[in-house]
Amino acid sequence: QVHLVESGGGVVQPGTSVRLSCVTSGFTFNKYGMHWVRQAPGKGLEWVAVVWSRGDNQYYADSVKGRFTISRDNSKNTLYLQMNSLRAEDTAVYYCVKEFLAMAGTYFDYWGQGALVTVSS
Amino acid sequence: QSVLTQPPSVSGAPGQRVTISCTGSSSNVGAGYDVHWYQQLPGTVPKLFIYSNNNRPSGVPDRFSGSKSGTSASLVITGLQAEDEADYYCQSYDSSLSNYVFGTGTKVTVL
């Protein structure tokens, strides 16, 4: 059974940093790209970032580019999101998400429970 | 701002058929990228509901179906039930943005 468990959320001040972790189990971690998706309170889903299976490529939403860094440690089956220069608009639940590569696109087949990050002074 | 547009809400009586549209453009849905759908029940984590336009994961009732044509996709609920009340999001890939994209989301209400 696939499990994705996020940690590292909390209340932080604007301009500071926080690192989220996502420990995974139940699948061969190093064979799948992994993503972070966020959802601001009462709002819709927003894709944040992806890291390829070997960790050699990362892509970001424009809203976080240059401030957030996605990474992974395949020896620990763990995904990370380093979030710097945080802003109030980064307040959201951050989901760790496993991808599945289909013939004509990628979908998200497993989601973690989410980690709430609140940016407030 | 999302590049996939959905109606904010749809509603219907139990047993009725409702349709949720997902309108994209030539750089995402119209470029041939698949559309996928997620259901988010109140207070819960999003769950994959339809993948690759019209496929249901195990456990999703067959009253849910998906389709795609041109730059749009649709999720149809045939025989609406109370437990279908949730938010539904479409998702695809956009080649212009080089990003994965979600729809704006649709709240389904059972009257």
Side-chain angles (χ1 to χ4, degrees), chain A residues 39 47 60 104 106 108 112, chain B residues 33-34 36 38 40 45 91 99:
Chain A
Q39 186 170 33
W47 176 81
Y60 300 90
T106 296
F108 307 128
Chain B
Y33 294 104
D34 283 348
H36 319 287
Y38 302 85
Q40 188 174 30
V45 176
Q91 175 253 315
N99 278 359

Side-chain angles (χ1 to χ4, degrees), chain A residues 35 37 39 43-47 50 60-62 95 99 102 104-109 111-113, chain B residues 32-34 36 38 40 44-48 51-52 89 91-92 97-104:
Chain A
H35 301 245
V37 173
Q39 186 170 33
K43 303 296 185 182
L45 300 172
E46 180 187 14
W47 176 81
V50 60
Y60 300 90
D62 286 345
Y95 295 106
E99 75 171 22
T106 296
Y107 58 85
F108 307 128
D109 56 351
W111 297 61
Q113 288 300 305
Chain B
Y33 294 104
D34 283 348
H36 319 287
Y38 302 85
Q40 188 174 30
T44 69
V45 176
K47 167 187 168 185
L48 178 67
Y51 65 93
S52 301
Y89 296 90
Q91 175 253 315
S92 187
L97 298 173
S98 296
N99 278 359
Y100 300 85
V101 289
F102 285 96
T104 49

Side-chain angles (χ1 to χ4, degrees), chain B residues 4 13 28 50 52 61 88 106:
Chain B
L4 300 180
N28 42 68
I50 296 285
S52 301
Y88 293 84
T106 298

Side-chain angles (χ1 to χ4, degrees), chain A residues 7-51:
Chain A
S7 61
V11 181
V12 297
Q13 293 195 332
T16 62
S17 301
V18 70
R19 188 175 84 153
L20 302 181
S21 300
C22 172
V23 176
T24 74
S25 62
F27 66 102
T28 306
F29 183 70
N30 62 14
K31 291 193 180 304
Y32 294 93
M34 294 294 296
H35 301 245
W36 290 97
V37 173
R38 69 182 181 183
Q39 186 170 33
K43 303 296 185 182
L45 300 172
E46 180 187 14
W47 176 81
V48 173
V50 60
V51 59

